[in-house]
Amino acid sequence: MIAPESETGGVADDTLLGERIRHGDRAAENELVVLYSGRVLAMAMARVGDREAARELVDDVMMATVTALRRGTVHDTARLGAFIHGTALNLVHGHLRARGRMPRDDGSGLEPTTPDLAEACEKDSDMQALRTCCALLPAQDHQVLFMSLTEGLKPGEIATRLGLSAEVVRQQKCRALKRLKELMNGASRKDLHEPHSSR
Amino acid sequence: MNCSVIVRDEFAERYVLGRLSLAEQEAYERHYFECDRCFGELQTLQAIREVLRAAPPTLPAPNQDRVWTPWWRWLAAGAVAASLVGVVLLLRPPGAPEPVAQNPARASSIRPPAAVGGTDVATDTATSRPEPVNSPATASRRLAVLAQLARVEPPRYSPRVLRGVTDEATLRFREGMEAYSGGDYPIAVQKLSAAATADPSRPDIAFFLGASELLSGDTAGAVRELQRTIRIGETPFLEEAHFYLAKAYLEQSALDLARTELVKVRALHGEKGGEADAILAQLASLPSD
Protein backbone atom coordinates (compact mmCIF):
# COMPACT_ATOMS: atom_id res chain seq x y z
CA MET A 1 0.00 0.00 0.00
CA ILE A 2 1.05 3.59 -0.32
CA ALA A 3 2.93 4.53 2.79
CA PRO A 4 1.48 7.57 4.45
CA GLU A 5 4.09 10.27 4.62
CA SER A 6 6.07 9.41 7.70
CA GLU A 7 8.36 11.64 9.64
CA THR A 8 10.54 8.71 10.52
CA GLY A 9 13.87 9.55 9.08
CA GLY A 10 16.05 7.52 11.40
CA VAL A 11 17.71 4.18 10.96
CA ALA A 12 15.54 1.29 12.08
CA ASP A 13 16.91 -1.07 14.73
CA ASP A 14 16.15 -4.65 13.77
CA THR A 15 18.05 -6.38 16.57
CA LEU A 16 14.97 -7.92 18.13
CA LEU A 17 13.63 -9.12 14.80
CA GLY A 18 16.99 -10.69 13.94
CA GLU A 19 17.15 -12.43 17.30
CA ARG A 20 13.66 -13.84 16.95
CA ILE A 21 14.51 -15.28 13.53
CA ARG A 22 17.72 -16.76 14.90
CA HIS A 23 15.61 -18.56 17.52
CA GLY A 24 13.32 -20.03 14.89
CA ASP A 25 10.36 -17.67 15.15
CA ARG A 26 8.46 -18.13 11.86
CA ALA A 27 6.23 -15.11 12.45
CA ALA A 28 9.37 -12.97 12.65
CA GLU A 29 10.47 -14.32 9.26
CA ASN A 30 7.15 -13.23 7.81
CA GLU A 31 7.58 -9.81 9.37
CA LEU A 32 10.98 -9.49 7.79
CA VAL A 33 9.60 -10.35 4.38
CA VAL A 34 6.75 -7.86 4.77
CA LEU A 35 9.17 -5.15 5.91
CA TYR A 36 11.79 -5.52 3.23
CA SER A 37 10.38 -7.18 0.12
CA GLY A 38 8.98 -3.87 -1.20
CA ARG A 39 12.39 -2.28 -0.94
CA VAL A 40 14.13 -5.18 -2.63
CA LEU A 41 11.55 -5.16 -5.40
CA ALA A 42 12.00 -1.41 -5.88
CA MET A 43 15.72 -1.85 -6.18
CA ALA A 44 15.58 -4.91 -8.41
CA MET A 45 13.15 -3.23 -10.79
CA ALA A 46 15.33 -0.13 -10.97
CA ARG A 47 18.37 -2.16 -11.83
CA VAL A 48 16.99 -5.11 -13.81
CA GLY A 49 13.90 -3.53 -15.39
CA ASP A 50 12.18 -6.92 -15.75
CA ARG A 51 9.28 -7.58 -13.41
CA GLU A 52 9.50 -11.38 -13.46
CA ALA A 53 13.24 -11.40 -12.89
CA ALA A 54 12.82 -8.79 -10.15
CA ARG A 55 10.27 -10.94 -8.34
CA GLU A 56 12.57 -13.95 -8.50
CA LEU A 57 15.37 -11.83 -7.13
CA VAL A 58 13.15 -10.71 -4.23
CA ASP A 59 12.52 -14.37 -3.34
CA ASP A 60 16.23 -15.16 -3.57
CA VAL A 61 17.27 -12.17 -1.46
CA MET A 62 14.71 -12.82 1.26
CA MET A 63 15.57 -16.52 1.37
CA ALA A 64 19.30 -15.77 1.61
CA THR A 65 18.65 -13.27 4.41
CA VAL A 66 16.44 -15.60 6.43
CA THR A 67 18.92 -18.43 6.01
CA ALA A 68 21.81 -16.26 7.20
CA LEU A 69 19.78 -15.07 10.20
CA ARG A 70 18.77 -18.61 11.14
CA ARG A 71 22.41 -19.65 11.02
CA GLY A 72 23.47 -16.63 13.05
CA THR A 73 25.93 -15.46 10.42
CA VAL A 74 24.64 -11.87 10.32
CA HIS A 75 27.01 -9.85 12.49
CA ASP A 76 25.12 -6.60 12.81
CA THR A 77 21.46 -7.53 13.26
CA ALA A 78 20.68 -3.98 14.34
CA ARG A 79 21.02 -2.90 10.71
CA LEU A 80 19.33 -5.60 8.71
CA GLY A 81 18.47 -3.08 6.00
CA ALA A 82 22.13 -2.63 5.16
CA PHE A 83 22.67 -6.39 5.13
CA ILE A 84 19.68 -7.00 2.88
CA HIS A 85 20.75 -4.22 0.54
CA GLY A 86 24.21 -5.73 0.24
CA THR A 87 22.74 -9.18 -0.42
CA ALA A 88 20.40 -7.74 -3.01
CA LEU A 89 23.22 -5.91 -4.76
CA ASN A 90 25.27 -9.11 -5.00
CA LEU A 91 22.37 -11.12 -6.38
CA VAL A 92 21.36 -8.40 -8.83
CA HIS A 93 24.92 -8.11 -10.12
CA GLY A 94 25.09 -11.91 -10.42
CA HIS A 95 21.84 -11.90 -12.35
CA LEU A 96 23.07 -9.19 -14.71
CA ARG A 97 26.36 -10.99 -15.30
CA ALA A 98 24.48 -14.20 -16.05
CA ARG A 99 22.37 -12.29 -18.54
CA GLY A 100 25.53 -11.04 -20.16
CA ARG A 101 24.85 -7.48 -19.13
CA MET A 102 26.95 -5.43 -16.82
CA PRO A 103 25.31 -2.91 -14.58
CA ARG A 104 25.22 0.44 -16.28
CA ASP A 105 28.13 2.68 -15.46
CA ASP A 106 27.82 6.27 -14.51
CA GLY A 107 24.50 6.69 -16.20
CA SER A 108 25.53 9.05 -18.96
CA GLY A 109 24.30 8.27 -22.43
CA LEU A 110 22.22 5.31 -21.39
CA GLU A 111 18.49 5.04 -21.60
CA PRO A 112 17.05 5.44 -18.14
CA THR A 113 15.46 2.41 -16.54
CA THR A 114 12.22 3.14 -14.78
CA PRO A 115 11.03 0.97 -11.94
CA ASP A 116 7.41 0.00 -12.29
CA LEU A 117 6.52 -0.90 -8.77
CA ALA A 118 3.10 0.48 -8.20
CA GLU A 119 1.25 -2.61 -9.26
CA ALA A 120 3.27 -4.78 -6.95
CA CYS A 121 3.50 -2.45 -4.00
CA GLU A 122 0.14 -0.77 -3.84
CA LYS A 123 -3.32 -1.98 -3.07
CA ASP A 124 -6.10 -1.31 -5.56
CA SER A 125 -7.95 0.82 -3.03
CA ASP A 126 -4.90 3.03 -2.54
CA MET A 127 -4.45 3.47 -6.25
CA GLN A 128 -8.12 4.33 -6.62
CA ALA A 129 -7.79 6.90 -3.83
CA LEU A 130 -4.72 8.31 -5.50
CA ARG A 131 -6.53 8.55 -8.82
CA THR A 132 -9.31 10.48 -7.10
CA CYS A 133 -6.78 12.77 -5.43
CA CYS A 134 -5.03 13.42 -8.76
CA ALA A 135 -8.35 14.39 -10.29
CA LEU A 136 -8.78 17.00 -7.55
CA LEU A 137 -5.60 18.83 -8.49
CA PRO A 138 -5.87 22.12 -10.37
CA ALA A 139 -5.52 21.37 -14.08
CA GLN A 140 -2.21 23.12 -14.53
CA ASP A 141 -0.65 21.50 -11.44
CA HIS A 142 -1.81 18.13 -12.75
CA GLN A 143 -0.24 18.81 -16.09
CA VAL A 144 3.03 19.99 -14.61
CA LEU A 145 3.22 16.83 -12.53
CA PHE A 146 2.44 14.69 -15.56
CA MET A 147 5.13 16.30 -17.69
CA SER A 148 7.61 16.05 -14.88
CA LEU A 149 7.02 12.49 -13.68
CA THR A 150 5.99 10.69 -16.82
CA GLU A 151 7.67 12.63 -19.61
CA GLY A 152 10.70 13.38 -17.48
CA LEU A 153 10.76 17.04 -18.51
CA LYS A 154 12.73 19.52 -16.46
CA PRO A 155 11.07 22.67 -15.06
CA GLY A 156 12.66 24.86 -17.73
CA GLU A 157 11.32 22.64 -20.50
CA ILE A 158 7.84 22.54 -18.97
CA ALA A 159 7.97 26.29 -18.51
CA THR A 160 8.68 26.77 -22.22
CA ARG A 161 5.81 24.52 -23.20
CA LEU A 162 3.31 26.15 -20.87
CA GLY A 163 4.50 29.73 -21.23
CA LEU A 164 5.34 30.05 -17.55
CA SER A 165 8.53 30.78 -15.66
CA ALA A 166 10.64 27.87 -14.44
CA GLU A 167 10.19 29.10 -10.87
CA VAL A 168 6.42 28.91 -11.18
CA VAL A 169 6.67 25.41 -12.63
CA ARG A 170 8.89 24.24 -9.76
CA GLN A 171 6.50 25.72 -7.26
CA GLN A 172 3.46 24.16 -8.92
CA LYS A 173 5.16 20.79 -8.88
CA CYS A 174 6.12 21.09 -5.22
CA ARG A 175 2.64 22.21 -4.34
CA ALA A 176 0.94 19.44 -6.31
CA LEU A 177 3.08 16.76 -4.66
CA LYS A 178 2.47 18.24 -1.24
CA ARG A 179 -1.27 18.40 -1.90
CA LEU A 180 -1.38 14.80 -3.11
CA LYS A 181 0.51 13.61 -0.05
CA GLU A 182 -1.84 15.53 2.23
CA LEU A 183 -4.85 14.06 0.48
CA MET A 184 -3.34 10.59 0.66
CA ASN A 185 -2.50 11.05 4.33
CA GLY A 186 -6.11 11.99 4.92
CA ALA A 187 -7.28 8.94 3.02
CA SER A 188 -4.83 6.62 4.82
CA ARG A 189 -5.74 7.90 8.24
CA LYS A 190 -9.19 6.38 7.72
CA ASP A 191 -7.63 2.94 7.91
CA LEU A 192 -4.80 3.71 10.30
CA HIS A 193 -5.13 0.40 12.06
CA GLU A 194 -4.30 -1.52 8.96
CA PRO A 195 -0.72 -2.80 9.02
CA HIS A 196 1.65 -1.17 6.56
CA SER A 197 3.46 -3.24 4.02
CA SER A 198 6.37 -0.88 4.17
CA ARG A 199 8.41 -0.63 7.26
CA MET B 1 23.46 10.78 2.70
CA ASN B 2 20.56 11.92 4.85
CA CYS B 3 16.88 12.70 4.42
CA SER B 4 17.44 16.42 3.96
CA VAL B 5 19.87 15.92 1.10
CA ILE B 6 17.54 13.39 -0.49
CA VAL B 7 14.64 15.83 -0.40
CA ARG B 8 16.75 18.83 -1.44
CA ASP B 9 18.33 17.04 -4.43
CA GLU B 10 15.13 15.24 -5.45
CA PHE B 11 16.70 11.81 -5.27
CA ALA B 12 13.36 9.96 -5.33
CA GLU B 13 12.25 11.62 -8.53
CA ARG B 14 15.61 11.17 -10.21
CA TYR B 15 15.60 7.53 -9.13
CA VAL B 16 12.21 6.75 -10.66
CA LEU B 17 13.25 8.58 -13.80
CA GLY B 18 16.52 6.60 -13.92
CA ARG B 19 18.63 9.74 -13.66
CA LEU B 20 20.96 8.90 -10.79
CA SER B 21 24.55 7.92 -11.32
CA LEU B 22 25.44 4.42 -10.19
CA ALA B 23 27.10 5.75 -7.04
CA GLU B 24 24.13 7.97 -6.20
CA GLN B 25 21.74 5.14 -6.90
CA GLU B 26 23.56 2.83 -4.51
CA ALA B 27 23.81 5.45 -1.77
CA TYR B 28 20.13 6.28 -2.13
CA GLU B 29 19.14 2.61 -1.99
CA ARG B 30 21.28 2.06 1.10
CA HIS B 31 19.45 4.94 2.69
CA TYR B 32 15.89 3.92 1.83
CA PHE B 33 16.53 0.37 2.94
CA GLU B 34 16.82 1.79 6.43
CA CYS B 35 14.57 4.83 6.29
CA ASP B 36 10.80 4.60 6.44
CA ARG B 37 10.20 8.14 5.40
CA CYS B 38 12.31 8.04 2.28
CA PHE B 39 10.99 4.67 1.20
CA GLY B 40 7.45 5.94 1.77
CA GLU B 41 8.26 8.94 -0.42
CA LEU B 42 9.63 6.69 -3.13
CA GLN B 43 6.59 4.43 -3.09
CA THR B 44 4.22 7.37 -3.16
CA LEU B 45 6.07 9.05 -6.01
CA GLN B 46 6.10 5.84 -8.00
CA ALA B 47 2.38 5.32 -7.42
CA ILE B 48 1.64 8.90 -8.49
CA ARG B 49 3.67 8.31 -11.62
CA GLU B 50 1.71 5.19 -12.43
CA VAL B 51 -1.62 6.91 -11.92
CA LEU B 52 -0.56 9.84 -14.10
CA ARG B 53 0.66 7.50 -16.81
CA ALA B 54 -2.62 5.61 -16.80
CA ALA B 55 -4.77 8.75 -16.89
CA PRO B 56 -3.00 11.73 -18.46
CA PRO B 57 -4.52 15.14 -17.67
CA THR B 58 -6.63 16.88 -20.21
CA LEU B 59 -4.15 19.13 -21.88
CA PRO B 60 -4.99 22.79 -22.31
CA ALA B 61 -3.46 24.31 -25.41
CA PRO B 62 0.13 25.27 -24.68
CA ASN B 63 1.20 28.85 -25.31
CA GLN B 64 2.96 28.24 -28.58
CA ASP B 65 -0.21 26.74 -30.00
CA ARG B 66 -2.32 29.70 -29.04
CA VAL B 67 -3.62 31.80 -31.86
CA TRP B 68 -2.31 35.28 -31.15
CA THR B 69 -4.45 38.14 -32.28
CA PRO B 70 -2.47 40.80 -34.14
CA TRP B 71 -2.18 44.08 -32.23
CA TRP B 72 -4.10 46.02 -34.84
CA ARG B 73 -7.12 43.80 -34.32
CA TRP B 74 -7.11 44.67 -30.63
CA LEU B 75 -6.91 48.31 -31.64
CA ALA B 76 -9.87 47.88 -33.92
CA ALA B 77 -11.80 46.06 -31.20
CA GLY B 78 -10.99 48.87 -28.78
CA ALA B 79 -12.24 51.43 -31.23
CA VAL B 80 -15.50 49.52 -31.68
CA ALA B 81 -15.93 49.24 -27.90
CA ALA B 82 -15.28 52.95 -27.45
CA SER B 83 -17.81 53.87 -30.08
CA LEU B 84 -20.39 51.58 -28.45
CA VAL B 85 -19.86 53.36 -25.13
CA GLY B 86 -20.35 56.65 -26.94
CA VAL B 87 -23.61 55.41 -28.46
CA VAL B 88 -24.87 54.25 -25.06
CA LEU B 89 -24.06 57.63 -23.52
CA LEU B 90 -25.80 59.48 -26.34
CA LEU B 91 -28.88 57.29 -25.98
CA ARG B 92 -29.05 57.81 -22.19
CA PRO B 93 -32.23 59.69 -21.34
CA PRO B 94 -31.73 63.16 -19.89
CA GLY B 95 -31.63 63.10 -16.06
CA ALA B 96 -30.70 59.49 -15.87
CA PRO B 97 -28.08 58.75 -13.17
CA GLU B 98 -24.51 58.87 -14.36
CA PRO B 99 -22.89 55.46 -14.66
CA VAL B 100 -20.59 54.70 -11.75
CA ALA B 101 -17.54 54.40 -13.96
CA GLN B 102 -18.10 57.95 -15.17
CA ASN B 103 -18.05 59.30 -11.64
CA PRO B 104 -14.44 59.60 -10.55
CA ALA B 105 -15.40 60.38 -6.97
CA ARG B 106 -17.39 57.16 -6.58
CA ALA B 107 -14.95 55.08 -8.58
CA SER B 108 -12.13 56.02 -6.24
CA SER B 109 -13.98 55.04 -3.08
CA ILE B 110 -13.30 51.34 -3.26
CA ARG B 111 -14.76 49.70 -0.22
CA PRO B 112 -12.56 47.08 1.39
CA PRO B 113 -14.25 43.71 1.09
CA ALA B 114 -14.79 43.27 4.80
CA ALA B 115 -15.65 45.76 7.47
CA VAL B 116 -12.89 45.94 10.04
CA GLY B 117 -14.01 44.89 13.47
CA GLY B 118 -17.50 46.10 12.77
CA THR B 119 -16.22 49.52 11.70
CA ASP B 120 -17.01 50.66 8.22
CA VAL B 121 -13.63 51.80 6.99
CA ALA B 122 -14.79 53.07 3.60
CA THR B 123 -15.87 56.60 3.00
CA ASP B 124 -18.65 57.30 0.58
CA THR B 125 -17.16 60.39 -0.97
CA ALA B 126 -20.23 60.96 -3.08
CA THR B 127 -22.25 61.84 0.01
CA SER B 128 -19.66 63.05 2.51
CA ARG B 129 -17.02 65.70 2.46
CA PRO B 130 -13.52 64.36 1.76
CA GLU B 131 -11.42 64.31 4.88
CA PRO B 132 -7.99 65.89 5.13
CA VAL B 133 -5.35 63.31 4.32
CA ASN B 134 -3.64 63.58 7.68
CA SER B 135 -6.74 63.84 9.83
CA PRO B 136 -6.93 61.69 12.98
CA ALA B 137 -9.98 59.90 11.53
CA THR B 138 -8.06 58.93 8.38
CA ALA B 139 -5.11 57.75 10.43
CA SER B 140 -7.28 55.60 12.64
CA ARG B 141 -9.06 54.11 9.64
CA ARG B 142 -5.71 53.37 8.08
CA LEU B 143 -4.57 51.64 11.26
CA ALA B 144 -7.79 49.66 11.40
CA VAL B 145 -7.33 48.46 7.81
CA LEU B 146 -3.71 47.54 8.46
CA ALA B 147 -4.66 45.63 11.59
CA GLN B 148 -7.24 43.74 9.61
CA LEU B 149 -4.80 42.97 6.79
CA ALA B 150 -2.14 41.79 9.23
CA ARG B 151 -4.50 39.31 10.86
CA VAL B 152 -3.18 35.77 10.56
CA GLU B 153 -4.98 32.48 10.33
CA PRO B 154 -2.71 29.61 11.43
CA PRO B 155 -1.32 27.82 8.37
CA ARG B 156 -2.84 24.41 7.85
CA TYR B 157 -0.89 21.49 9.17
CA SER B 158 -1.64 17.85 8.33
CA PRO B 159 -0.32 15.64 11.11
CA ARG B 160 1.55 12.71 9.69
CA VAL B 161 1.71 9.10 10.64
CA LEU B 162 4.79 8.23 12.69
CA ARG B 163 6.40 4.83 12.70
CA GLY B 164 9.57 3.47 14.14
CA VAL B 165 12.65 5.37 15.16
CA THR B 166 12.83 9.13 14.83
CA ASP B 167 15.71 11.56 14.70
CA GLU B 168 16.10 14.44 17.15
CA ALA B 169 14.75 17.08 14.78
CA THR B 170 11.66 15.02 13.99
CA LEU B 171 10.94 14.32 17.64
CA ARG B 172 11.14 18.03 18.52
CA PHE B 173 9.12 18.91 15.41
CA ARG B 174 6.40 16.48 16.43
CA GLU B 175 6.24 17.95 19.94
CA GLY B 176 6.19 21.45 18.51
CA MET B 177 3.38 20.64 16.10
CA GLU B 178 1.34 19.05 18.86
CA ALA B 179 1.54 22.36 20.72
CA TYR B 180 0.83 24.22 17.46
CA SER B 181 -2.25 22.12 16.74
CA GLY B 182 -3.45 22.83 20.27
CA GLY B 183 -2.99 26.57 19.75
CA ASP B 184 -0.15 26.82 22.27
CA TYR B 185 2.17 28.87 20.06
CA PRO B 186 4.79 29.91 22.66
CA ILE B 187 5.44 26.24 23.48
CA ALA B 188 5.41 25.45 19.77
CA VAL B 189 8.11 28.12 19.28
CA GLN B 190 10.21 26.57 22.03
CA LYS B 191 9.99 23.03 20.62
CA LEU B 192 10.35 24.06 16.99
CA SER B 193 13.41 26.16 17.83
CA ALA B 194 14.99 23.01 19.23
CA ALA B 195 14.00 21.13 16.09
CA ALA B 196 15.51 23.88 13.91
CA THR B 197 18.74 23.70 15.87
CA ALA B 198 18.86 19.93 15.33
CA ASP B 199 18.22 20.27 11.58
CA PRO B 200 18.41 23.79 10.16
CA SER B 201 17.89 22.53 6.60
CA ARG B 202 14.28 21.41 7.00
CA PRO B 203 11.84 23.88 5.47
CA ASP B 204 8.82 22.48 7.34
CA ILE B 205 10.48 23.22 10.67
CA ALA B 206 11.59 26.72 9.62
CA PHE B 207 8.17 27.55 8.20
CA PHE B 208 6.09 26.42 11.15
CA LEU B 209 8.55 28.02 13.55
CA GLY B 210 8.08 31.31 11.70
CA ALA B 211 4.31 30.88 11.70
CA SER B 212 4.27 30.07 15.42
CA GLU B 213 6.38 33.14 16.17
CA LEU B 214 4.01 35.27 14.16
CA LEU B 215 1.02 33.80 15.97
CA SER B 216 2.63 34.32 19.37
CA GLY B 217 3.44 37.96 18.62
CA ASP B 218 7.18 37.72 17.95
CA THR B 219 7.07 39.43 14.58
CA ALA B 220 10.82 39.96 14.30
CA GLY B 221 11.44 36.27 14.96
CA ALA B 222 8.77 35.37 12.41
CA VAL B 223 10.41 37.55 9.77
CA ARG B 224 13.76 35.90 10.43
CA GLU B 225 12.41 32.32 10.20
CA LEU B 226 10.19 32.95 7.20
CA GLN B 227 13.07 34.57 5.36
CA ARG B 228 15.13 31.50 6.22
CA THR B 229 12.38 29.24 4.84
CA ILE B 230 12.50 31.19 1.60
CA ARG B 231 16.29 30.97 1.45
CA ILE B 232 16.11 27.16 1.69
CA GLY B 233 14.79 27.35 -1.85
CA GLU B 234 12.20 25.50 -3.91
CA THR B 235 10.10 23.75 -1.30
CA PRO B 236 6.39 23.20 -0.83
CA PHE B 237 6.50 25.97 1.79
CA LEU B 238 7.84 28.72 -0.47
CA GLU B 239 4.55 30.32 -1.38
CA GLU B 240 3.18 30.24 2.15
CA ALA B 241 6.46 31.60 3.51
CA HIS B 242 6.20 34.64 1.21
CA PHE B 243 2.56 35.09 2.21
CA TYR B 244 3.13 34.93 5.95
CA LEU B 245 6.23 37.08 5.63
CA ALA B 246 3.98 39.68 4.00
CA LYS B 247 1.66 39.36 6.99
CA ALA B 248 4.58 39.90 9.34
CA TYR B 249 5.61 43.01 7.42
CA LEU B 250 2.04 44.28 7.56
CA GLU B 251 2.15 43.78 11.30
CA GLN B 252 5.29 45.92 11.33
CA SER B 253 3.61 48.45 9.00
CA ALA B 254 6.41 47.85 6.49
CA LEU B 255 4.02 48.19 3.58
CA ASP B 256 6.53 48.25 0.73
CA LEU B 257 8.15 45.04 1.94
CA ALA B 258 4.71 43.47 2.37
CA ARG B 259 3.76 44.46 -1.18
CA THR B 260 6.96 42.94 -2.53
CA GLU B 261 6.21 39.63 -0.83
CA LEU B 262 2.59 39.65 -1.98
CA VAL B 263 3.67 40.25 -5.57
CA LYS B 264 5.94 37.20 -5.23
CA VAL B 265 3.00 35.16 -3.93
CA ARG B 266 0.92 36.25 -6.89
CA ALA B 267 3.71 35.33 -9.31
CA LEU B 268 3.73 31.77 -7.98
CA HIS B 269 0.11 31.23 -9.13
CA GLY B 270 -0.67 29.21 -6.02
CA GLU B 271 -3.46 28.80 -3.54
CA LYS B 272 -2.66 32.08 -1.81
CA GLY B 273 -2.69 34.09 -5.02
CA GLY B 274 -6.28 35.23 -4.59
CA GLU B 275 -5.70 36.38 -1.03
CA ALA B 276 -2.52 38.16 -2.06
CA ASP B 277 -4.42 39.98 -4.82
CA ALA B 278 -7.14 41.03 -2.38
CA ILE B 279 -4.61 42.39 0.11
CA LEU B 280 -2.72 44.23 -2.62
CA ALA B 281 -5.98 45.80 -3.76
CA GLN B 282 -6.77 46.90 -0.22
CA LEU B 283 -3.30 48.30 0.23
CA ALA B 284 -3.75 50.27 -2.97
CA SER B 285 -6.94 51.82 -1.65
CA LEU B 286 -5.53 52.51 1.78
CA PRO B 287 -5.96 56.11 3.00
CA SER B 288 -2.68 58.00 2.71
CA ASP B 289 -0.45 58.36 5.73
Side-chain angles (χ1 to χ4, degrees):
Chain A
M1 72 179 282
I2 296 163
E5 191 177 351
S6 156
E7 288 165 358
T8 309
V11 174
D13 185 336
D14 290 319
T15 309
L16 184 61
L17 188 61
E19 286 303 305
R20 285 169 56 203
I21 294 173
R22 195 163 72 84
H23 289 103
D25 183 343
R26 289 300 168 95
E29 292 176 3
N30 287 336
E31 281 176 41
L32 182 86
V33 170
V34 168
L35 288 176
Y36 283 105
S37 55
R39 285 166 162 85
V40 178
L41 183 63
M43 177 197 163
M45 277 301 296
R47 287 170 175 268
V48 176
D50 171 348
R51 177 177 296 281
E52 279 313 302
R55 283 187 173 140
E56 283 176 23
L57 280 164
V58 172
D59 290 343
D60 293 347
V61 170
M62 297 319 298
M63 181 53 72
T65 305
V66 168
T67 305
L69 284 167
R70 281 180 191 162
R71 290 178 181 159
T73 55
V74 180
H75 298 302
D76 187 3
T77 49
R79 296 189 62 193
L80 280 182
F83 177 83
I84 296 171
H85 178 248
T87 306
L89 261 185
N90 287 338
L91 290 175
V92 165
H93 286 169
H95 171 86
L96 292 173
R97 274 194 293 272
R99 257 183 21 185
R101 257 181 59 185
M102 288 303 291
R104 64 196 175 98
D105 52 20
D106 214 37
S108 52
L110 290 173
E111 197 171 304
T113 53
T114 54
D116 178 21
L117 312 169
E119 188 191 326
C121 297
E122 316 298 349
K123 287 194 313 191
D124 283 349
S125 58
D126 288 325
M127 296 302 276
Q128 185 52 50
L130 187 53
R131 272 189 283 276
T132 307
C133 295
C134 276
L136 293 173
L137 288 176
Q140 199 168 63
D141 287 10
H142 195 173
Q143 193 178 355
V144 164
L145 215 51
F146 178 81
M147 288 173 158
S148 179
L149 292 182
T150 69
E151 297 181 11
L153 297 179
K154 293 181 177 160
E157 296 168 315
I158 298 172
T160 307
R161 282 203 191 183
L162 297 180
L164 300 168
S165 74
E167 191 192 359
V168 166
V169 168
R170 273 192 286 271
Q171 193 52 213
Q172 281 180 331
K173 192 175 112 186
C174 277
R175 189 175 59 217
L177 284 172
K178 181 184 168 203
R179 185 87 187 112
L180 275 182
K181 285 170 192 168
E182 281 176 358
L183 289 167
M184 288 309 297
N185 273 337
S188 317
R189 224 169 282 123
K190 287 178 190 163
D191 56 5
L192 248 187
H193 301 294
E194 223 173 275
H196 298 297
S197 63
S198 64
R199 54 165 319 169
Chain B
M1 181 174 287
N2 59 42
C3 303
S4 301
V5 171
I6 284 168
V7 172
R8 188 194 65 204
D9 295 346
E10 299 181 330
F11 267 78
E13 184 175 333
R14 288 161 61 209
Y15 186 71
V16 299
L17 291 170
R19 286 191 177 145
L20 292 179
S21 70
L22 201 59
E24 286 174 326
Q25 188 183 29
E26 201 167 314
Y28 175 57
E29 286 168 349
R30 257 201 312 275
H31 180 86
Y32 80 64
F33 263 70
E34 296 189 316
C35 178
D36 288 339
R37 183 171 68 174
C38 292
F39 183 57
E41 290 283 332
L42 174 63
Q43 276 191 304
T44 303
L45 197 63
Q46 184 58 36
I48 290 170
R49 186 167 183 259
E50 287 308 304
V51 166
L52 289 171
R53 267 211 299 226
T58 315
L59 304 177
N63 267 6
Q64 63 260 42
D65 294 340
R66 282 185 197 153
V67 179
W68 292 99
T69 310
W71 62 271
W72 53 267
R73 285 204 186 157
W74 289 111
L75 205 63
V80 170
S83 61
L84 279 174
V85 169
V87 169
V88 168
L89 288 175
L90 286 172
L91 292 176
R92 187 163 53 89
E98 203 173 327
V100 170
Q102 297 298 311
N103 182 342
R106 288 191 64 92
S108 67
S109 68
I110 299 165
R111 189 180 295 263
V116 178
T119 309
D120 189 351
V121 294
T123 306
D124 190 343
T125 52
T127 55
S128 65
R129 215 170 32 166
E131 292 201 37
V133 164
N134 289 322
S135 76
T138 306
S140 75
R141 265 194 295 278
R142 179 183 163 82
L143 284 176
V145 174
L146 279 178
Q148 169 71 10
L149 295 181
R151 264 179 54 181
V152 178
E153 291 295 322
R156 186 180 55 190
Y157 171 65
S158 300
R160 288 147 189 187
V161 181
L162 295 169
R163 287 167 289 144
V165 190
T166 54
D167 56 272
E168 175 68 14
T170 301
L171 280 173
R172 299 287 88 79
F173 179 66
R174 186 177 59 180
E175 289 169 0
M177 294 317 290
E178 275 169 15
Y180 178 91
S181 302
D184 192 347
Y185 303 116
I187 295 294
V189 168
Q190 200 182 320
K191 302 288 184 187
L192 292 171
S193 296
T197 305
D199 188 348
S201 68
R202 274 181 54 177
D204 51 349
I205 295 174
F207 173 70
F208 280 108
L209 174 55
S212 300
E213 282 171 329
L214 190 57
L215 290 159
S216 58
D218 178 4
T219 315
V223 167
R224 190 179 56 242
E225 286 305 317
L226 292 167
Q227 285 176 335
R228 195 166 70 80
T229 311
I230 292 165
R231 279 199 303 273
I232 291 173
E234 293 293 340
T235 71
F237 297 92
L238 183 61
E239 184 197 1
E240 282 182 294
H242 281 300
F243 183 80
Y244 285 96
L245 183 56
K247 288 281 188 177
Y249 285 141
L250 285 170
E251 180 67 34
Q252 294 178 332
S253 297
L255 302 196
D256 285 343
L257 292 172
R259 278 192 200 95
T260 304
E261 294 305 317
L262 290 166
V263 167
K264 288 177 183 169
V265 173
R266 188 164 60 185
L268 290 170
H269 299 284
E271 288 173 357
K272 293 283 180 194
E275 273 185 82
D277 278 340
I279 296 173
L280 282 167
Q282 291 187 65
L283 285 175
S285 66
L286 204 59
S288 304
D289 220 348

